[in-house]
Amino acid sequence: RGDSAVADHTVDSVCPYCGVGCQLTYHVKDDSILFVEGRNGPSNQNRLCVKGRFGFDYPRHPSRLTRPLIRKSGVPKRLDPAFDPAQPLTHFREASWEEALDLASQGLVDLKTAHGPDALAGFGSAKCSNEEAWLFQKLVRTGFGSNHVDHCTRLCHASSVAALMECIGSGAVTASFMQVLESDVVILTGCNPAVNHPVAATYFKQAARNGTKLIIIDPRGQGLSAYAHMSVRFSPGADVSLFNAMLNVIVTEELFDQAYIDAHTEGFAALKAHVVDMTPDAMAPACGVDPDTIREVARLYARAERAMIFWGMGISQHTHGTDNARCLISLALACGQTGRSGTGLHPLRGQNNVQGASDAGLIPMVLPDYQPVGDDQIRSAFEELWNTPLEARPGLTVVEIMDAIHAGQIKGMYIQGENPAMSDPDLDHARAALASLEHLVVQDLFVTETAQYADVILPASAWSEKEGTVTNTNRQVQLGRAAVPLPGEARPDWWIIQEIARRFGLDWDYTHPREVFAEMKQGMPSLDNITWERLEREKSVTYPCPAEDAPGADVVFSDAFPRAGGKAKFAPTRPLPPDEPVDGDYPTVLTTGRQLEHWHTGSMTRRSQVLDDLEPEAVASVSPAELVRLGVSPGEPITITTRRGAITLKVRVDPLMAEGMVFVPFCYVEAAANLLTNPALDPYGKIPEFKYAACRLSPAAIA
Ligand code: SF4
């Protein structure tokens, strides 16, 4: 802390990594961030995890883009995994902003003129601000002329949102994670907060110490298991079987809350009939869980005075991800566990602004605030706001866009801050799509794996260099502030999007993100009573907010749900197998995800010195028994093979890993996990099955 003596000023902002939305303070000297401290935000109370505390230096990495780049003519579009950003660029040349923006826009305009609006698509970013998300989707809708706009929500919680919208009429959480301190029982399923939402995990630990019963339901063990009242390990992919068996117990033992069901729900009779045969004894073989354990969990949850359910991508990233979330919602509705302090449904959001980017309309089937594009009345309201006719057909989603490129429909793309060359499933397919685009514009901080396929690369702004609002997993809208200047000729993302829009003939004239926020309020009722000035004054404002001088609602839907008639709906589900079950040739389940130290595709954290020093290379985690079966020692290489490809990387032993499973983080280009993953989609949320692919493990030769 000796550094504090030399900082010349401090700037309050928000962590740029996960959806917890920890508030922090940058300590700055001579336009450089010296260190970061947590401050007393509503979701972190001064706490930060290792990413928030040490992952602030990536914007000053030597490979940071500081000038626009244009691909040299004749250079083929392909990914070089050994690409060294420290070496002089051979495939691109530097350009002025004027030249780069003209070329970037003209390529897209020409494709639209030649082939129509359906030839273009855009990926916005959950790492950017709400204002940037609003502008990006507005550009696609009013400039490109289609709804082919999506972002990484499609790869994380799209199925959760589909189920929540269907059953309770809202895609956001019904209560903040701080409410666990009021809960008697908390179910955590398909999530690993100690790794992926570390500061939220501290609230779960605190609750457990105070007597809350934590029940962790997951195929894998995890750090929080040490605090759990029960840890239920079940067979990968058997979520629906397990949750339906719990519902069966609640129905047959009449543990449901009839008064709540009568007042607030519809469809319970059908659910009762649906689960009648799905007894714990009948479902136990599929789940791999003892029937009495299923009964005990169901009773604990149903009998609790106040209980919450949290879930993550272990629930959502399945071809039956929407069904998984429907089951969790049914559990809460059947037991009356929403609408009161200490109760609720909470899908833990991944990226810092995936909630806000979704709210702002970076979704192909809905306008901002989840208002359907096909609704004539809603669409005409936005047409009036934006003074432009809008397309009524929903657009394509992330993976569908890659398929549409292969099919020859999508010919040009604008990608802001996303890295599909690392994040999409079945990367060979996704990368071939990117390579075949006739025109690709990438806006980012670095020459990411995706940017290697670009025709034009536009140098953008890091979170610590700009102003804007973000919305965390708790629906808390918070203000990020610029702590340091943009390097070289890098520009704020909102400015770049506006320059592209102007070249599409749109008369945009924003001079600051606060003007964009003011426009957002005209199309997003969720922002009622939240102003830029209020965000500057207050630490954080939660939506929905009833008045400018009142706090927002931490717990929602106490009286009614935002559905016709005000009632939530039960959606019965049937167990379905994974798209690609294990078999004799591919006997092991591959599951992918994040590490504590690395964030998503690693474009930021692998350029952050402390974080990359802590986890510098790709590893695959297996159980001790699997290690013995493979006949290798920790640190030796193994090869993982699926029907789509193979990667070789070092093996790590993890006593919490389930037997018959291997876990690989997806941030390492040198052993890219998504070369292996299955692109099969959930039919409702259109999310790929990242959490289950059949694979084969084998020892590899030591290089
Ligand atoms: Fe940042 Fe999330 Fe860590 Fe908080 S918990 S410091 S928001 S990465």
Side-chain angles (χ1 to χ4, degrees):
R1 282 293 87 95
D3 287 338
S4 60
V6 295
D8 52 34
H9 68 285
T10 60
V11 177
D12 288 344
S13 190
V14 186
C15 175
Y17 291 107
C18 89
V20 172
C22 295
Q23 295 196 357
L24 50 74
T25 298
Y26 295 115
H27 291 252
V28 183
K29 180 177 172 57
D30 296 337
D31 291 338
S32 288
I33 297 169
L34 297 180
F35 65 94
V36 167
E37 279 187 316
R39 64 189 166 105
N40 194 17
S43 67
N44 67 314
Q45 296 176 307
N46 302 309
R47 305 165 210 177
L48 293 176
C49 79
V50 66
K51 286 192 290 291
R53 190 169 297 284
F54 296 110
F56 60 84
D57 55 339
Y58 66 91
R60 297 302 164 99
H61 190 273
S63 64
R64 175 69 188 277
L65 283 166
T66 57
R67 292 203 72 192
L69 299 178
I70 290 175
R71 177 175 293 277
K72 292 178 180 173
S73 66
V75 174
K77 291 183 175 181
R78 60 171 169 252
L79 176 68
D80 176 6
F83 171 73
D84 183 354
Q87 298 300 314
L89 293 169
T90 55
H91 295 186
F92 297 92
R93 65 174 173 83
E94 293 187 338
S96 69
W97 269 106
E98 203 63 21
E99 183 188 11
L101 287 166
D102 286 349
L103 184 66
S105 309
Q106 198 58 51
L108 297 170
V109 169
D110 288 348
L111 287 171
K112 180 182 173 185
T113 304
H115 303 286
D118 280 337
L120 301 182
F123 291 163
S125 174
K127 289 196 281 288
C128 290
S129 68
N130 289 325
E131 294 73 34
E132 289 160 347
W134 172 274
L135 291 184
F136 194 90
Q137 59 87 34
K138 181 179 172 183
L139 167 64
V140 172
R141 293 190 154 113
T142 62
F144 293 11
S146 78
N147 290 304
H148 302 317
V149 61
D150 208 355
H151 76 297
C152 70
T153 190
R154 196 65 43 208
L155 307 178
C156 59
H157 266 306
S159 47
S160 306
V161 171
L164 287 164
M165 290 297 294
E166 173 192 12
C167 297
I168 66 170
S170 166
V173 301
T174 71
S176 75
F177 63 70
M178 296 89 76
Q179 287 292 326
V180 294
L181 300 176
E182 309 297 324
S183 303
D184 302 302
V185 169
V186 169
I187 289 179
L188 296 165
T189 183
C191 58
N192 188 352
V195 169
N196 296 319
H197 302 85
V199 169
T202 66
Y203 287 80
F204 296 124
K205 293 175 188 174
Q206 193 178 337
R209 284 200 195 97
N210 294 344
T212 302
K213 290 186 169 74
L214 293 189
I215 302 172
I216 298 178
I217 304 176
D218 201 282
R220 299 165 61 195
Q222 57 181 274
L224 273 181
S225 302
Y227 296 80
H229 176 74
M230 291 179 73
S231 285
V232 180
R233 308 272 293 264
F234 69 100
S235 304
D239 318 61
V240 170
S241 299
L242 177 59
F243 300 140
N244 271 327
M246 288 172 61
L247 283 164
N248 172 280
V249 175
I250 289 164
V251 165
T252 54
E253 298 186 10
E254 299 194 346
L255 300 175
F256 48 83
D257 183 340
Q258 191 65 57
Y260 180 91
I261 290 166
D262 291 344
H264 298 291
T265 73
E266 59 190 26
F268 186 60
L271 181 91
K272 275 171 91 172
H274 180 80
V275 299
V276 72
D277 296 329
M278 297 192 223
T279 63
D281 292 303
M283 307 312 273
C287 307
V289 180
D290 174 66
D292 285 339
T293 301
I294 298 174
R295 289 186 188 96
E296 187 178 353
V297 173
R299 289 167 187 156
L300 272 170
Y301 177 75
R303 287 175 177 156
E305 176 63 26
R306 297 169 188 275
M308 293 185 76
I309 300 176
F310 291 83
W311 71 94
M313 278 157 254
I315 289 294
S316 60
Q317 289 177 335
H318 284 283
T319 47
H320 49 86
T322 303
D323 284 344
N324 290 348
R326 285 169 172 154
C327 288
L328 299 176
I329 296 164
S330 289
L331 284 166
L333 296 177
C335 302
Q337 297 290 14
T338 65
R340 294 174 290 124
S341 175
T343 69
L345 290 159
H346 191 125
L348 283 156
R349 304 291 166 159
Q351 298 219 32
N352 62 327
N353 199 35
V354 72
Q355 181 67 59
S358 301
D359 297 345
L362 278 182
I363 297 182
M365 54 288 280
V366 290
L367 287 153
D369 263 359
Y370 309 94
Q371 302 177 80
V373 295
D375 185 310
D376 292 345
Q377 204 176 339
I378 287 165
R379 206 174 53 260
S380 69
F382 277 92
E383 288 174 339
E384 194 175 327
L385 177 63
W386 292 335
N387 197 26
T388 314
L390 296 174
E391 171 59 57
R393 286 174 300 143
L396 298 171
T397 60
V398 166
V399 176
E400 289 174 335
I401 286 171
M402 292 299 160
D403 291 340
I405 297 170
H406 280 291
Q409 177 197 325
I410 301 284
K411 298 175 186 300
M413 282 196 74
Y414 179 16
I415 299 178
Q416 178 212 18
E418 296 255 306
N419 196 5
M422 285 291 288
S423 61
D424 272 24
D426 189 8
L427 279 181
D428 279 342
H429 180 81
R431 290 172 179 177
L434 293 170
S436 70
L437 282 168
E438 292 181 29
H439 190 65
L440 173 60
V441 180
V442 172
Q443 179 172 319
D444 215 309
L445 306 180
F446 307 101
V447 182
T448 61
E449 290 76 13
T450 299
Q452 289 194 48
Y453 293 98
D455 295 279
V456 184
I457 308 176
L458 305 172
S461 46
W463 185 240
S464 53
E465 298 162 351
K466 62 186 171 189
E467 292 189 68
T469 65
V470 282
T471 307
N472 70 3
T473 189
N474 292 327
R475 294 181 268 101
Q476 290 159 333
V477 186
Q478 309 191 102
L479 195 62
R481 296 180 176 88
V484 292
L486 285 153
E489 296 179 22
R491 291 286 181 271
D493 286 76
W494 70 264
W495 181 90
I496 303 171
I497 300 165
Q498 172 158 282
E499 289 299 317
I500 300 278
R502 285 175 171 171
R503 285 163 174 79
F504 265 82
L506 302 171
D507 60 344
W508 293 13
D509 197 20
Y510 307 101
T511 62
H512 190 276
R514 71 164 65 82
E515 296 167 10
V516 183
F517 189 79
E519 180 181 302
M520 292 170 67
K521 287 171 58 60
Q522 296 178 55
M524 296 177 64
S526 63
L527 296 178
D528 284 355
N529 301 307
I530 304 176
T531 65
W532 189 277
E533 293 70 29
R534 184 174 178 187
L535 292 171
E536 282 182 325
R537 275 195 317 274
E538 300 179 22
K539 286 184 178 140
S540 166
V541 184
T542 303
Y543 78 75
C545 184
E548 279 207 32
D549 57 357
D554 205 37
V555 177
V556 292
F557 312 145
S558 302
D559 299 323
F561 289 94
R563 295 184 74 245
K567 290 192 171 185
K569 170 186 154 185
F570 288 96
T573 60
R574 286 249 164 242
L576 292 169
D579 178 73
E580 188 183 63
V582 292
D583 57 22
D585 292 332
Y586 298 97
T588 303
V589 177
L590 166 71
T591 186
T592 65
R594 300 182 299 244
Q595 292 173 304
L596 171 62
E597 295 80 2
H598 283 303
W599 186 241
H600 283 243
T601 65
S603 59
M604 292 151 66
T605 53
R606 293 202 78 194
R607 293 175 173 89
S608 182
Q609 188 175 344
V610 170
L611 300 177
D612 203 47
D613 283 352
L614 288 169
E615 282 287 5
E617 59 185 347
V619 287
S621 297
V622 299
S623 69
E626 193 70 43
L627 201 74
V628 170
R629 193 192 64 74
L630 283 164
V632 298
S633 300
E636 290 185 349
I638 61 167
T639 297
I640 307 175
T641 307
T642 70
R643 290 181 175 85
R644 290 155 294 282
I647 61 172
T648 296
L649 68 177
K650 289 182 177 175
V651 70
R652 176 179 286 176
V653 67
D654 179 355
L656 298 172
M657 202 65 210
E659 287 189 30
M661 279 186 94
V662 58
F663 170 78
V664 183
F666 64 94
C667 61
Y668 297 98
V669 65
E670 60 273 29
N674 280 322
L675 287 166
L676 311 179
T677 47
N678 185 356
L681 301 181
D682 172 279
Y684 309 99
K686 306 287 178 75
I687 193 169
E689 193 152 54
F690 288 120
K691 287 292 187 278
Y692 193 117
C695 75
R696 183 173 63 238
L697 309 184
S698 54
I702 298 175

